[in-house]
Amino acid sequence: MSAPNNLLIDQVFRLAAEQSRDAILISDKDNQIIYVNNMFSQLTEYTEDDVIGKNPSILKSGIQTDEYYAQLWATIAQKGEWRGELWNRAKSGRLFYEHQHIMAIADDSGATQYYISIFYDRTRQLREAQTKRFNERYDRKTQLPNERKLQEYVKSLSKNQQTSFTYITFNYLDLKDINSTYGTEFGDLFLSEIALRIKSLGHRKFFAARISGGQFALITPYQSQQPQRLSALQHIARELKAPIVVQDREIFPQVEIGVLEQAHEQEFDLELFTHSEYDSHRDPASSNQDFYYINQSNKDKIRDEFELAQRLQLALKNDDFEIYFQPQVSSLDQRILGAEALLRWFTPDGQISPGEFLPVAEKYNLMNKLDEYVVNKVFEHIHRAKTRRIQLPRIAINISDQLIPLNVIEVLMAKHNIQPDDFELEITEKLIATHDDETNLFLQAFKDRGIHTSIDDFGTGYSSLARLRHLKVNKLKIDKSFIDHIKSSLQDREILLSIIGIGKALKLTVLAEGVETPCQWEFLQRSGCDLIQGFLFSKPVDLPTLLSLLAAGPVHNALETEQCEFVTQCHSANRG
């Protein structure tokens, strides 16, 4: 190649190198620097005059070991190049993290003549990755490990066959009240003080984590001697329960502390003791005033509930539930005037009863999701019936004690073109007895919107007559437990007559549920009960069957199978 061409290539190379966003360093066969570009100087703070003729080792940070560099050069000698990450040091002493590619350039005989190093700064990306990793495994408010890090730690103990330890779970029960009383900023400071207290326990072998809210966990070495173990646990309990000062305000925390002694031969399932109710684990026989011991004998039950909760959430996601309807029949002419919507869960292994999955849904805070799901599905059925020019009777929908918000109902009403008269909402009497003011506001909001409401399971919740007078409801549903013994229990009959009388006095519709015999129906009908619901007329059915029942008209055939002389006697006695 001619000299002018060599000169042109050299000029083009320099122009390209100076415009490069990567730092470029070229050294000779003795690894003495003969060229660096502008980006090299920007990154390392060394000028060309500072480094020409020197060894690239002037950039060494001291973080990588001599063995690391020996392996680097061995790779270059074997493969002709090396790629990897290095910590290097700028002229000012600033450390930077770089991705580097070193290539050996050989002549025709194969002897190395030059080394070209191309590298760029990855310090920001590394810091961002470290921050992300920290945020994924540590709690932002307390800087303690979070649940994910706790899980990793427990797995590492198991992997290293070091699973004999004491697991302490403690929950600051009044955190929610602290936040609502003094504000969330104060609550965050409260959490920070808890974290400092945990760290001040001072044992290097302790592993502490914040799980969520006011719930924390502490893993400590297992003490084989009972006296020392008990003494250590009592010390930890005293420290966790001691008053906490935040902004010159002394807080006396309410702390619930559970202790699990984990032997190496036992399987430890962290999930079971993290997201389950404390009462599921208590071992009353071995608990004391400072803490309670966790009883692992309930592990199978807890695991089954946890797995059912997972299946329940998947079923909600996959729309695996069905809505069934139980007719509500007029006691006067047996016409179907309403129906209660009931959730059914059918699986390939058979039906899972509401009595099984509803308590689990409540335990794992899934009731709001279930409520919204049921309301949405019922509204879908009502809308589809309307598109076929079929007007369903008013559908009653049970809602949980979590009280689904009015705005959620309104969004679903608009979505399916539902009118207030198409449905009603049922709440339990227990809710009224325990959440008086909140429930009144809830009922008033729905009344103002024109939506009917009813009290389910009436007679079991101990609500007073004075409270009932002020409730904005349209219907009372008498609990089945009072219907079952109409024939045998004078007391139950008197309670029924009283409830029906109260309903009439307050101008409420009264419905009896769980009616199974003609005698029960006749007593209720003669007593002035408005609506009947129960197996006497129909079990819960799917929508096509409900439509068939509606088309068939009044249901009389179920009422002519039994002589009910006691009903006549009861009402004759009452008239007398």
Side-chain angles (χ1 to χ4, degrees):
M1 185 178 292
S2 63
N5 284 340
N6 283 335
L7 180 61
L8 177 61
I9 290 173
D10 182 62
Q11 291 174 341
V12 170
F13 167 78
R14 284 183 173 273
L15 179 62
E18 295 306 323
Q19 297 297 318
S20 174
R21 295 184 179 182
D22 294 335
I24 299 175
L25 177 153
I26 302 176
S27 58
D28 61 18
K29 62 182 180 180
D30 297 321
N31 209 15
Q32 303 300 308
I33 299 173
I34 60 174
Y35 172 79
V36 293
N37 67 348
N38 287 331
M39 185 55 69
F40 173 91
S41 296
Q42 291 182 35
L43 177 57
T44 67
E45 303 169 8
Y46 286 105
T47 66
E48 187 177 18
D49 291 339
D50 290 332
V51 298
I52 294 298
K54 295 182 179 178
N55 191 286
S57 61
I58 62 170
L59 299 175
K60 276 188 176 182
S61 64
I63 294 177
Q64 287 82 214
T65 63
D66 291 340
E67 290 79 6
Y68 186 91
Y69 285 108
Q71 183 61 45
L72 181 156
W73 287 109
T75 301
I76 294 173
Q78 181 182 4
K79 299 181 178 181
E81 64 176 347
W82 177 88
R83 296 175 187 267
E85 274 70 38
L86 289 171
W87 279 103
N88 272 334
R89 192 179 299 276
K91 185 176 182 179
S92 63
R94 171 182 57 85
L95 289 171
F96 60 92
Y97 188 68
E98 66 179 45
H99 177 80
Q100 188 163 143
H101 182 196
I102 303 174
M103 296 168 285
I105 307 300
D107 58 18
D108 294 339
S109 67
T112 298
Q113 297 297 310
Y114 302 100
Y115 296 98
I116 299 179
S117 175
I118 302 174
F119 55 97
Y120 59 89
D121 189 4
R122 293 194 66 242
T123 308
R124 182 174 62 83
Q125 292 93 322
L126 176 65
R127 299 299 187 200
E128 289 175 351
Q130 289 174 333
T131 300
K132 180 181 179 182
R133 180 176 174 81
F134 182 88
N135 291 337
E136 288 174 346
R137 290 167 172 79
Y138 288 83
D139 177 60
R140 179 177 58 84
K141 293 180 180 179
T142 64
Q143 304 299 299
L144 289 172
N146 61 13
E147 183 183 350
R148 178 174 176 177
K149 183 68 174 177
L150 176 62
Q151 291 171 337
E152 292 175 350
Y153 180 75
V154 169
K155 287 180 180 178
S156 71
L157 291 177
S158 178
K159 184 177 180 180
N160 295 328
Q161 296 182 338
Q162 296 174 355
T163 51
S164 291
F165 56 83
T166 300
Y167 175 77
I168 304 171
T169 175
F170 47 102
N171 193 11
Y172 285 82
L173 303 174
D174 42 10
L175 177 61
K176 183 178 179 180
D177 293 335
I178 289 172
N179 283 330
S180 61
T181 303
Y182 303 118
T184 54
E185 184 176 346
F186 186 95
D188 289 347
L189 293 174
F190 176 76
L191 287 171
S192 297
E193 290 298 325
I194 292 173
L196 289 174
R197 176 164 295 177
I198 293 169
K199 294 172 184 176
S200 72
L201 290 172
H203 201 302
R204 290 186 179 182
K205 294 183 179 180
F206 284 2
F207 182 92
R210 181 190 178 205
I211 295 171
S212 64
Q215 187 180 4
F216 296 78
L218 190 68
I219 293 179
T220 73
Y222 180 76
Q223 297 273 2
S224 59
Q225 299 297 318
Q226 172 65 17
Q228 289 123 334
R229 184 163 72 246
L230 181 60
S231 175
L233 290 173
Q234 289 174 332
H235 169 71
I236 291 171
R238 285 194 299 269
E239 289 295 313
L240 296 177
K241 291 183 175 183
I244 296 175
V245 178
V246 180
Q247 293 180 336
D248 298 326
R249 187 184 299 276
E250 191 171 26
I251 303 294
F252 295 85
Q254 300 297 312
V255 192
E256 191 166 37
I257 304 173
V259 175
L260 172 67
E261 302 289 4
Q262 178 67 27
H264 65 84
E265 70 273 7
Q266 294 175 309
E267 178 187 359
F268 182 73
D269 193 336
L270 179 64
E271 288 283 351
L272 297 183
F273 303 109
T274 299
H275 297 292
S276 300
E277 291 179 347
Y278 286 94
D279 288 342
S280 301
H281 310 300
R282 290 184 184 277
D283 185 357
S286 60
S287 299
N288 58 48
Q289 62 180 359
D290 295 316
F291 53 85
Y292 67 88
Y293 283 97
I294 293 173
N295 185 353
Q296 292 204 70
S297 63
N298 293 329
K299 181 184 289 187
D300 290 341
K301 177 178 179 290
I302 298 166
R303 179 181 287 109
D304 289 344
E305 290 179 344
F306 179 76
E307 290 177 352
L308 183 58
Q310 305 307 304
R311 292 177 62 192
L312 182 58
Q313 294 182 78
L314 185 62
L316 284 169
K317 179 181 177 182
N318 295 337
D319 192 17
D320 288 339
F321 294 97
E322 295 183 29
I323 301 295
Y324 271 47
F325 301 88
Q326 187 167 35
Q328 298 172 342
V329 178
S330 167
S331 64
L332 294 177
D333 57 15
Q334 293 80 58
R335 289 184 301 116
I336 297 176
L337 300 182
E340 181 180 1
L342 299 166
L343 193 62
R344 294 293 181 261
W345 186 6
F346 299 101
T347 74
D349 298 325
Q351 181 180 354
I352 301 177
S353 72
E356 184 177 355
F357 69 78
L358 287 179
V360 172
E362 186 172 1
K363 180 176 179 177
Y364 285 87
N365 298 316
L366 299 174
M367 291 306 296
N368 275 338
K369 291 182 179 180
L370 272 180
D371 283 346
E372 187 170 343
Y373 178 90
V374 172
V375 171
N376 184 66
K377 294 296 288 185
V378 170
F379 286 2
E380 280 183 7
H381 286 310
I382 296 173
H383 176 72
R384 288 173 185 167
K386 285 183 176 181
T387 60
R388 297 167 56 189
R389 298 189 178 182
I390 299 172
Q391 180 62 50
L392 294 177
R394 183 178 291 134
I395 305 298
I397 306 171
N398 291 286
I399 58 172
S400 70
D401 293 353
Q402 299 300 315
L403 297 180
I404 186 169
L406 174 59
N407 66 304
V408 173
I409 297 288
E410 289 181 322
V411 168
L412 295 175
M413 288 175 67
K415 176 182 176 182
H416 299 291
N417 193 26
I418 300 299
Q419 301 304 311
D421 280 342
D422 290 333
F423 70 101
E424 68 182 33
L425 299 177
E426 295 185 1
I427 63 172
T428 64
E429 188 187 12
K430 180 187 71 174
L431 179 65
I432 297 169
T434 55
H435 299 82
D436 195 5
D437 294 338
E438 181 183 359
T439 307
N440 275 338
L441 291 173
F442 173 85
L443 293 171
Q444 183 65 56
F446 281 88
K447 179 180 175 63
D448 294 343
R449 184 67 171 79
I451 297 170
H452 286 233
T453 54
S454 64
I455 302 176
D456 196 12
D457 302 329
F458 190 79
T460 62
Y462 309 104
S463 59
S464 69
L465 179 60
R467 181 183 290 120
L468 191 60
R469 287 177 56 198
H470 296 95
L471 290 175
K472 311 301 181 183
V473 296
N474 305 94
K475 182 188 293 181
L476 296 182
K477 293 187 68 176
I478 304 174
D479 187 70
K480 182 181 184 300
S481 61
F482 296 103
I483 311 299
D484 290 340
H485 306 292
I486 283 178
K487 195 170 182 178
S488 60
S489 172
L490 174 62
Q491 184 180 41
D492 280 4
R493 291 197 296 270
E494 290 177 343
I495 291 173
L496 277 170
L497 291 171
S498 298
I499 294 174
I500 293 170
I502 290 171
K504 294 300 181 182
L506 296 175
K507 296 181 171 54
L508 303 177
T509 299
V510 180
L511 181 150
E513 54 185 347
V515 178
E516 298 179 353
T517 70
C519 282
Q520 292 171 345
W521 168 81
E522 187 175 346
F523 180 87
L524 292 163
Q525 191 265 348
R526 291 195 183 192
S527 302
C529 186
D530 301 298
L531 295 173
I532 306 296
Q533 178 180 335
F535 285 6
L536 176 64
F537 293 102
S538 175
K539 294 182 178 181
V541 295
D542 58 17
L543 184 60
T545 306
L546 175 65
L547 295 177
S548 298
L549 291 174
L550 289 168
V555 184
H556 297 286
N557 59 316
L559 305 179
E560 301 172 355
T561 60
E562 185 177 347
Q563 296 296 318
C564 301
E565 294 180 3
F566 93 95
V567 176
T568 302
Q569 294 171 358
C570 290
H571 283 278
S572 296
N574 289 334
R575 283 196 299 271

